[in-house]
Amino acid sequence: MTIRLLVMDVDGTLTDGSILIGPDGEMMKTFNAKDGYGVKHLLPAAGIEPMIITGRNSSILAYRANELGITALYQGVHDKLPLLKRLMDERGLDVSEVAYIGDDLNDLEAMRFVGVCGCPADSSQGIIDVVDYVCRRDGGRGAVREFIEHLIRLNEGR
């Protein structure tokens, strides 16, 4: 099994789940630089495509995805599995070639479908109970980078 695609959730996974809303409705999110380095540099070097599927719509996320070179960005997706299946078919990927990292129950169906799934340490218990890999780090605090390093080790047979 070689992982060729990493699907990531955002809120609670690439971020700590906080959504800061100012008095005029403007929103802010924080992203981890170590996660970003892993996505931008480690994944491509390992031949793994990054993909984001998230339930929320955010111009902040579109900006961050562009910064990291993520072209497969799907926002406002509440039923993630049908989209994931279609995208896998388009890429000719088997479930054993796909990894997923998420933190909450809206990720569960897609996570159960893929070959390898992981979650941040502070994920909901319903996710922690079913994943293959529970990160030591929390969402938005390096969990994605940790999972990327785990996938690279899997691909290298370590």
Side-chain angles (χ1 to χ4, degrees):
M1 164 181 72
T2 300
I3 301 299
R4 296 177 43 209
L5 176 69
L6 172 59
V7 180
M8 298 168 282
D9 178 46
V10 178
D11 295 320
T13 303
L14 277 168
T15 75
D16 67 4
S18 298
I19 300 168
L20 307 173
I21 302 174
D24 297 320
E26 71 277 11
M27 289 195 288
M28 294 175 46
K29 298 181 184 209
T30 58
F31 296 91
N32 183 281
K34 290 180 178 65
D35 289 341
Y37 187 89
V39 169
K40 185 168 185 165
H41 299 287
L42 299 181
L43 286 178
I48 302 171
E49 177 188 2
M51 176 183 287
I52 291 174
I53 302 177
T54 182
R56 294 181 61 87
N57 287 297
S58 166
S59 59
I60 295 165
L61 175 59
Y63 182 87
R64 181 64 172 159
N66 184 59
E67 255 188 346
L68 299 178
I70 300 172
T71 57
L73 171 62
Y74 302 91
Q75 299 193 70
V77 179
H78 300 288
D79 191 2
K80 297 179 180 186
L81 184 57
L83 173 63
L84 177 57
K85 286 180 176 180
R86 181 175 61 82
L87 295 168
M88 287 171 58
D89 284 344
E90 289 173 4
R91 288 164 171 75
L93 294 172
D94 182 77
V95 294
S96 67
E97 298 173 301
V98 180
Y100 193 110
I101 184 167
D103 72 303
D104 215 333
L105 297 177
N106 63 326
D107 299 304
L108 183 59
E109 196 175 40
M111 293 174 88
R112 284 187 167 153
F113 180 74
V114 301
V116 179
C117 58
C119 70
D122 60 341
S123 297
S124 70
Q125 194 62 47
I127 295 297
I128 290 172
D129 290 343
V130 301
V131 297
D132 303 305
Y133 185 87
V134 178
C135 296
R136 293 180 314 276
R137 293 176 175 86
D138 289 344
R141 303 280 187 253
V144 170
R145 171 68 172 270
E146 181 182 336
F147 190 59
I148 288 169
E149 291 171 353
H150 172 69
L151 296 177
I152 291 169
R153 286 191 301 273
L154 285 178
N155 279 357
E156 293 173 348
R158 298 187 282 135

